[in-house]
Amino acid sequence: DDESHPEGGERVAVAREREPSYAWVVVGVLFFAQALAMGVRGTIGLLVIQALRAAGTERVIAVDVEEGKLALACKLGGDVTLNPRSAGVPAEVRRLTEGGPDVGMECVGATEPIKTAVASVRKGGSVVLVGNISPAIQLPLQQVGTGELTLFGTAASSGEYPRAIELLRRGAIDVRPLITEGAPLAEGPRGVER
């Protein structure tokens, strides 16, 4: 629960904002039949998978270069995992989803994963830019235009903390596999500095 894992609430709120509030509402749907989660090695990407599941997404495809995190992605709700180092991700995603998922949740914020998300979603689909590791990226503009894609940017959260904490309490989202270390609250500032 959030009492024993206070750091979980904030990160779940960031992932959870995508359902059904800010990013989900911006995208214009409250349900995705199929979704792609790009970059699941980080906490946010792994939480996005769980948020997609909590929203009722029928199929989640997780993509990352780190095999250990792909295995964890499966445990947390991913149906299929793909490693771009060993698979042609866009072609395989389109094959698995019969034309591409409704949405790609890009959780890295770098050129290659964004290009992969754009190339993977269905015509008329959406790519939600969750990650922001890079200040600038190269965008395949013609693919976005000819694919009639919609791109959405997101940042932080927008009042989802109570709902995120409720998901933690209910067990719909499990942060325990994501916690690598615990410390007393008094040591919080020192932990952030690391």
Side-chain angles (χ1 to χ4, degrees), residues 122-146:
R122 66 171 172 76
K123 186 168 186 156
S126 300
V127 176
V128 181
L129 304 173
V130 180
N132 62 4
I133 198 168
S134 302
I137 57 105
Q138 293 178 352
L139 181 69
L141 187 58
Q142 289 191 345
Q143 268 188 305
V144 172
T146 59

Side-chain angles (χ1 to χ4, degrees), residues 153-174:
T154 62
S157 60
S158 180
E160 291 79 22
Y161 287 110
R163 202 163 153 98
I165 291 168
E166 174 61 17
L167 286 169
L168 288 166
R169 189 193 65 72
R170 282 194 351 236
I173 291 184
D174 184 7

Side-chain angles (χ1 to χ4, degrees), residues 3-191:
E3 304 254 331
S4 61
H5 303 296
E7 68 278 5
E10 180 177 347
R11 290 192 176 146
V12 171
V14 171
R16 181 61 182 171
E17 80 172 47
R18 286 138 190 89
E19 189 291 315
S21 61
Y22 182 63
W24 278 183
V25 173
V26 171
V27 172
V29 295
L30 294 176
F31 170 78
F32 302 115
Q34 301 182 92
L36 174 69
M38 290 292 307
V40 298
R41 93 178 64 162
T43 304
I44 298 300
L46 292 166
L47 289 168
V48 162
I49 290 171
Q50 294 183 76
L52 286 164
R53 280 299 193 200
T57 302
E58 293 173 2
R59 185 177 214 183
V60 177
I61 299 171
V63 178
D64 204 284
V65 296
E66 194 174 313
E67 290 296 332
K69 293 296 182 161
L70 288 173
L72 182 55
C74 276
K75 291 178 185 172
L76 296 175
D79 295 297
V80 176
T81 62
L82 299 172
N83 186 328
R85 291 183 178 155
S86 60
V89 171
E92 184 63 7
V93 168
R94 288 178 168 274
R95 184 188 71 76
L96 290 167
T97 59
E98 298 179 9
D102 304 304
V103 66
M105 303 295 287
E106 199 289 322
C107 303
V108 178
T111 295
E112 289 311 310
I114 291 170
K115 284 181 174 180
T116 300
V118 165
S120 298
V121 297
R122 66 171 172 76
K123 186 168 186 156
S126 300
V127 176
V128 181
L129 304 173
V130 180
N132 62 4
I133 198 168
S134 302
I137 57 105
Q138 293 178 352
L139 181 69
L141 187 58
Q142 289 191 345
Q143 268 188 305
V144 172
T146 59
E148 300 177 359
L149 304 182
T150 304
L151 302 179
F152 295 100
T154 62
S157 60
S158 180
E160 291 79 22
Y161 287 110
R163 202 163 153 98
I165 291 168
E166 174 61 17
L167 286 169
L168 288 166
R169 189 193 65 72
R170 282 194 351 236
I173 291 184
D174 184 7
V175 297
R176 290 172 296 186
L178 310 177
I179 296 171
T180 57
E181 186 178 340
L185 189 56
E187 294 178 18
R190 189 171 55 141

